[in-house]
Amino acid sequence: MQIAILGRGVVGGGIVKLIDEAQTPLLQQIKIKKVLVHRSEQVLDSRHTTDFAEILNDPEISVVCECIGGLEPAHTYVKQALESGKHVVTANKKMLAVFAKELFDLARQKQLTLAYEASVGGGIPWIDNIKRIQRLEPVTAFQGIFNGTSNYILSQMEEKDLDFATCLKSAQKLGYAEKDPSDDIDGGDVCYKVCLSALTCFGQLADPSQVEQWGIRFLSQEDFAWAKEHGRTIKLLGIGRREAGGLSLQVLPVMLKKSSLLASVGLNFNGLQTESASLGQATFVGQGAGSLPTAHAAVQDLLDLAEGRGEAAADPQPGRLLAGPEQTFYLRTENSSFFAGVTAEQISDRALLTKKMTLSDLSRLLEQSGDQRAFLAGVADE
Amino acid sequence: MQIAILGRGVVGGGIVKLIDEAQTPLLQQIKIKKVLVHRSEQVLDSRHTTDFAEILNDPEISVVCECIGGLEPAHTYVKQALESGKHVVTANKKMLAVFAKELFDLARQKQLTLAYEASVGGGIPWIDNIKRIQRLEPVTAFQGIFNGTSNYILSQMEEKDLDFATCLKSAQKLGYAEKDPSDDIDGGDVCYKVCLSALTCFGQLADPSQVEQWGIRFLSQEDFAWAKEHGRTIKLLGIGRREAGGLSLQVLPVMLKKSSLLASVGLNFNGLQTESASLGQATFVGQGAGSLPTAHAAVQDLLDLAEGRGEAAADPQPGRLLAGPEQTFYLRTENSSFFAGVTAEQISDRALLTKKMTLSDLSRLLEQSGDQRAFLAGVADE
């Protein structure tokens, strides 16, 4: 099986390494014919090229592995690869979540595989295990820690009692966070992964821009202190539930009991859980990012194709986003009197616990209150 | 695909339920033609029989799913099923670990599948995920909580500060522990699962009776108090490592840091970890026992066969059991002066921490000391 790799950055470079140093006969069946790079000085040998047309027009290349990241040109390249009859493996959650309908429809029409294990949960075999459960029964819900950067920041804040800005800087120093960390700390990255997980678990498409999304940018030590006092820690979770007539998706910080399994997922690890009838809750924890773990996941998709186990893309239906369950929220806001009607317990002059309500209702109230720097978190029942 | 189920107890009954109530087209391809029961009053209809020959001689039955448990007649039935050209799915760790060489050799000669997902880790997709990693790279080590009953006892002792006998009784009342709990609390059950995991991870056969095996029968509240004082909890672990020239396998209680992931695997859950080069550490947590989760795992093996993805058995080699790494142990013994030469720190007149040493060396010393009721636990580095 001859493949092309688009991009030779963190993930693309890892894939090249794993395949070039192949240890198993199965992996040795995969040959990298071309690597697309951005700048001509990266063209180290005849295998490297800056011209995507060379890949597109090569009939020997049956699989394109996209590791460029971002929306364009990744989207156009993936689309063209599918149009020209090549299977696609991608690590690009953002591009795939945004263009899911177009790309899955195209792959299905062409009877091609569009595989994306590497785009959610890094090395964790998340997509594969969901599909395995579904051979037997529906996955009814999922939740988890989908972003390693924010989890590193939260773990540091808890362990070392430091403020958000300090921990963000340390994450940036270690290369976990980018210069503009918005996608990691405001929940955008989690949101894309939640949409792809919902697509896999429920067969329903959701527009990422319509998902309720709350991050950790305005988290303060005061919030962590309250969590600790109450035997809890704070994690940024992505949550999906299959509901009658649609689905509910949420991205938000949650105050988890310290004894819960996800509370122990430290450092920059991810921890993802499924819920299904006979299996109950199944949890998968591992490296959620990084060159080799993410490359491992992409190579697993390639191995499925090499084994003839690639599946034609499914036919996802547009999903109706519903409000989700009523729950208790922790809220810290400069305008707490505005929330008097939904307050169950006043914690301080700024912090409160709400009555049971939906995240949508609370989000609407927050918009009306005008506070752009409020911090909210779900308070988990167990 | 027509199958027979041997035994209609906890696991066999769960499999019958999942298949009879099949929700997916793939699962609906599996038909239960016969269920072997023990007593004639269990023969509810023509599908049930007490005569194994009826199953053996039925050419339409291509798969036998063994859920009897224990060594005999399970072993004879599985052997006869393979000899007559039927694939076997089993949930029976003890029988399979004890007769591994004979049965895997037979299955290989006959080009048949001998599948055992349900025999290790209940519903956790442990065997499947190990095999998936191995498509790409060797699994170099594994460890985990393999026994739900002992984990329930340990979790209760920690949480409620109760003694071992009280927690054992409560586990028996809930149906988690049997009247004779030896296999659960002395490490035998973990030992069989460790041998099957080693077979899967390293392709090496180990004789369960030769594996160093320490249980929790003599664990006291005093030991738990020391663990708590030092920010730790106690878990019964199975550990396997690939070593130059062989493998090392251990079953023993370990003092884990409270912040570690396995420390948070509570109740009767199992938590299993692999280590491999590019993926790093991957952890799988779920229901380690119980009717439906274990049945789920057995049905997954059946679905592999229905999808034509059954694999002929591999050719495992006899493994050489090596001593394993040197480590610190917590030891409580009535004869602590006997251990003066290996003591790094005296905790009380009965409890001590050893210098770094191998488990084999400590086991030998304990045998010499004559103390039959000593408690030992590894002290994990991280």
Side-chain angles (χ1 to χ4, degrees):
Chain A
M1 189 174 97
Q2 300 203 55
I3 71 165
I5 296 173
L6 313 188
R8 197 174 173 160
V10 173
V11 178
I15 296 171
V16 170
K17 183 179 155 68
L18 289 179
I19 295 178
D20 281 356
E21 298 171 4
Q23 299 178 56
T24 64
L26 181 64
L27 186 49
Q28 284 157 2
Q29 289 175 25
I30 300 175
K31 300 288 173 204
I32 302 171
K33 190 160 183 203
K34 287 287 168 192
V35 179
L36 182 72
V37 290
H38 191 56
R39 297 184 314 268
S40 54
E41 61 267 33
Q42 294 172 293
V43 179
L44 308 165
D45 53 36
S46 64
R47 193 164 75 162
H48 289 75
T49 179
T50 55
D51 180 13
F52 180 61
E54 256 189 62
I55 291 165
L56 205 57
N57 298 326
D58 187 335
E60 287 183 354
I61 293 173
S62 59
V63 185
V64 165
C65 185
E66 187 271 307
C67 311
I68 303 173
L71 292 181
E72 290 296 350
H75 161 244
T76 302
Y77 288 172
V78 165
K79 194 174 154 182
Q80 290 177 343
L82 290 169
E83 279 167 347
S84 69
K86 299 183 195 305
H87 300 292
V88 170
V89 169
T90 180
N92 190 333
K93 59 234 137 199
K94 183 172 184 172
M95 183 274 295
L96 193 59
V98 170
F99 295 103
K101 169 110 186 86
E102 178 195 34
L103 296 177
F104 282 101
D105 276 351
L106 180 57
R108 195 178 65 259
Q109 286 155 18
K110 294 273 187 177
Q111 288 287 298
L112 292 165
T113 295
L114 172 51
Y116 51 99
E117 183 68 85
S119 62
V120 187
I124 296 174
W126 176 235
I127 305 298
D128 181 64
N129 277 287
I130 291 170
K131 289 191 173 168
R132 193 166 169 85
I133 294 168
Q134 287 171 327
R135 300 196 306 176
L136 204 156
E137 63 195 8
V139 172
T140 52
F142 66 84
Q143 68 169 354
I145 297 167
F146 284 89
N147 181 273
T149 304
S150 55
N151 202 48
Y152 177 81
I153 294 171
L154 292 169
S155 302
Q156 292 291 301
M157 283 184 76
E158 186 195 22
E159 199 183 314
K160 305 195 173 152
D161 233 344
L162 296 169
D163 66 14
F164 181 81
T166 307
C167 295
L168 172 59
K169 256 180 224 154
S170 121
Q172 283 168 323
K173 218 178 227 171
L174 284 163
Y176 292 158
E178 293 178 55
K179 263 187 203 167
D180 174 4
S182 313
D183 251 14
D184 288 323
I185 66 173
D186 294 331
D189 175 81
V190 178
C191 182
Y192 303 129
K193 293 166 176 171
V194 161
C195 289
L196 293 177
S197 300
L199 180 66
T200 316
C201 290
F202 313 140
Q204 296 185 51
L205 287 161
D207 178 349
S209 70
Q210 298 305 306
V211 173
E212 294 284 355
Q213 177 188 321
W214 291 88
I216 57 171
R217 188 186 287 267
F218 302 118
L219 170 62
S220 77
Q221 282 167 287
E222 173 186 345
D223 308 318
F224 242 118
W226 186 86
K228 278 193 180 180
E229 251 171 62
H230 293 79
R232 294 174 181 267
T233 190
I234 301 174
K235 294 292 188 187
L236 179 60
L237 298 191
I239 301 171
R241 293 180 192 86
R242 191 190 288 269
E243 312 260 4
L247 72 168
S248 79
L249 302 179
Q250 298 181 340
V251 177
L252 80 169
V254 176
M255 304 257 186
L256 292 172
K257 291 209 177 138
K258 276 295 285 174
S259 57
S260 75
L261 192 58
L262 291 182
S264 289
V265 175
L267 299 171
N268 58 336
F269 275 64
N270 284 14
L272 310 177
Q273 301 184 312
T274 57
E275 191 72 44
S276 66
S278 68
L279 193 55
Q281 188 181 74
T283 306
F284 306 89
V285 182
Q287 299 275 356
S291 175
L292 289 181
T294 309
H296 181 107
V299 171
Q300 290 288 6
D301 278 344
L302 293 170
L303 289 170
D304 281 340
L305 286 164
E307 279 193 324
R309 279 165 57 177
E311 292 171 7
D315 185 10
Q317 301 302 311
R320 204 166 135 247
L321 281 174
L322 303 172
E326 296 197 331
Q327 55 185 314
T328 300
F329 294 93
Y330 169 98
L331 175 66
R332 184 176 41 70
T333 168
E334 294 302 330
N335 196 358
S336 73
S337 59
F338 187 87
F339 295 86
V342 297
T343 299
E345 183 190 333
Q346 196 75 37
I347 295 169
S348 68
D349 54 348
R350 297 191 296 169
L352 58 93
L353 293 180
T354 69
K355 296 179 187 166
K356 293 227 170 198
M357 62 191 302
T358 66
L359 180 57
S360 314
D361 285 345
L362 182 56
S363 298
R364 207 170 305 124
L365 274 183
L366 269 158
E367 207 175 309
Q368 291 165 11
S369 82
D371 184 353
Q372 309 268 319
R373 302 176 63 84
F375 174 77
L376 74 76
V379 181
D381 287 334
E382 43 180 307
Chain B
M1 188 174 96
Q2 300 204 54
I3 70 165
I5 296 173
L6 313 188
R8 199 175 170 159
V10 173
V11 178
I15 296 171
V16 170
K17 184 179 155 67
L18 289 179
I19 295 177
D20 282 354
E21 298 171 5
Q23 299 178 56
T24 63
L26 181 64
L27 187 49
Q28 284 157 2
Q29 289 175 25
I30 300 176
K31 300 288 173 204
I32 302 171
K33 190 162 182 202
K34 287 286 168 193
V35 179
L36 182 73
V37 290
H38 191 56
R39 298 183 314 266
S40 54
E41 62 267 32
Q42 292 172 293
V43 179
L44 308 166
D45 53 35
S46 66
R47 194 164 75 159
H48 290 75
T49 178
T50 56
D51 180 12
F52 181 60
E54 255 187 62
I55 290 165
L56 205 57
N57 299 325
D58 187 334
E60 286 182 354
I61 293 174
S62 60
V63 185
V64 165
C65 186
E66 187 270 307
C67 311
I68 303 174
L71 291 181
E72 290 297 350
H75 161 243
T76 303
Y77 289 172
V78 165
K79 195 174 154 182
Q80 290 176 345
L82 290 169
E83 278 166 347
S84 69
K86 298 183 195 306
H87 300 292
V88 170
V89 169
T90 180
N92 189 333
K93 57 234 138 198
K94 183 171 184 172
M95 183 275 295
L96 194 58
V98 169
F99 295 105
K101 169 110 186 86
E102 178 195 33
L103 296 177
F104 282 102
D105 276 353
L106 179 57
R108 195 178 65 260
Q109 285 155 19
K110 294 274 187 177
Q111 289 287 298
L112 292 165
T113 295
L114 172 51
Y116 50 99
E117 182 68 84
S119 62
V120 187
I124 298 174
W126 177 234
I127 305 297
D128 182 64
N129 277 286
I130 291 170
K131 289 190 173 168
R132 192 165 170 86
I133 295 168
Q134 287 172 327
R135 301 196 305 177
L136 203 157
E137 63 195 8
V139 172
T140 53
F142 66 84
Q143 69 170 353
I145 296 168
F146 284 90
N147 180 272
T149 305
S150 55
N151 203 46
Y152 177 82
I153 294 171
L154 292 169
S155 302
Q156 292 291 302
M157 283 183 76
E158 186 194 23
E159 200 183 312
K160 305 194 174 153
D161 232 343
L162 296 169
D163 66 14
F164 181 81
T166 307
C167 294
L168 172 59
K169 256 180 225 152
S170 120
Q172 283 168 325
K173 219 177 228 169
L174 284 164
Y176 292 159
E178 295 178 54
K179 265 187 202 169
D180 175 2
S182 313
D183 251 15
D184 288 323
I185 66 174
D186 295 332
D189 176 80
V190 178
C191 182
Y192 303 129
K193 293 166 176 171
V194 161
C195 288
L196 293 177
S197 300
L199 179 67
T200 315
C201 289
F202 312 140
Q204 296 184 53
L205 287 160
D207 178 349
S209 69
Q210 298 304 304
V211 173
E212 295 284 357
Q213 178 187 320
W214 290 88
I216 57 170
R217 188 185 286 267
F218 302 118
L219 170 60
S220 78
Q221 282 167 287
E222 173 187 345
D223 308 319
F224 242 117
W226 186 85
K228 278 193 179 180
E229 250 172 62
H230 293 79
R232 292 173 183 268
T233 190
I234 301 173
K235 295 291 187 187
L236 179 59
L237 297 191
I239 302 170
R241 292 181 192 87
R242 193 191 286 268
E243 311 260 5
L247 72 168
S248 78
L249 302 179
Q250 298 181 340
V251 178
L252 80 168
V254 176
M255 304 258 189
L256 292 172
K257 291 207 178 142
K258 277 293 286 173
S259 58
S260 76
L261 192 58
L262 290 182
S264 290
V265 175
L267 298 172
N268 59 337
F269 276 63
N270 284 13
L272 311 177
Q273 301 183 311
T274 56
E275 191 71 44
S276 66
S278 68
L279 192 55
Q281 188 180 75
T283 306
F284 306 89
V285 182
Q287 299 276 356
S291 175
L292 289 181
T294 310
H296 181 107
V299 171
Q300 290 287 7
D301 278 343
L302 293 169
L303 290 170
D304 282 340
L305 285 163
E307 280 194 323
R309 279 166 58 175
E311 291 172 7
D315 185 10
Q317 300 302 311
R320 204 166 134 245
L321 281 174
L322 304 171
E326 297 196 333
Q327 55 184 314
T328 301
F329 294 94
Y330 169 99
L331 176 67
R332 184 177 40 73
T333 168
E334 294 302 330
N335 196 357
S336 73
S337 60
F338 187 88
F339 296 86
V342 297
T343 299
E345 184 190 331
Q346 197 74 36
I347 295 169
S348 68
D349 53 350
R350 299 190 295 169
L352 58 90
L353 293 180
T354 70
K355 295 178 187 167
K356 294 226 169 200
M357 62 192 303
T358 66
L359 181 57
S360 315
D361 284 345
L362 181 56
S363 298
R364 207 169 304 124
L365 274 182
L366 269 160
E367 207 176 309
Q368 292 165 11
S369 81
D371 184 353
Q372 309 268 319
R373 302 176 63 84
F375 174 77
L376 74 75
V379 181
D381 287 335
E382 45 180 304

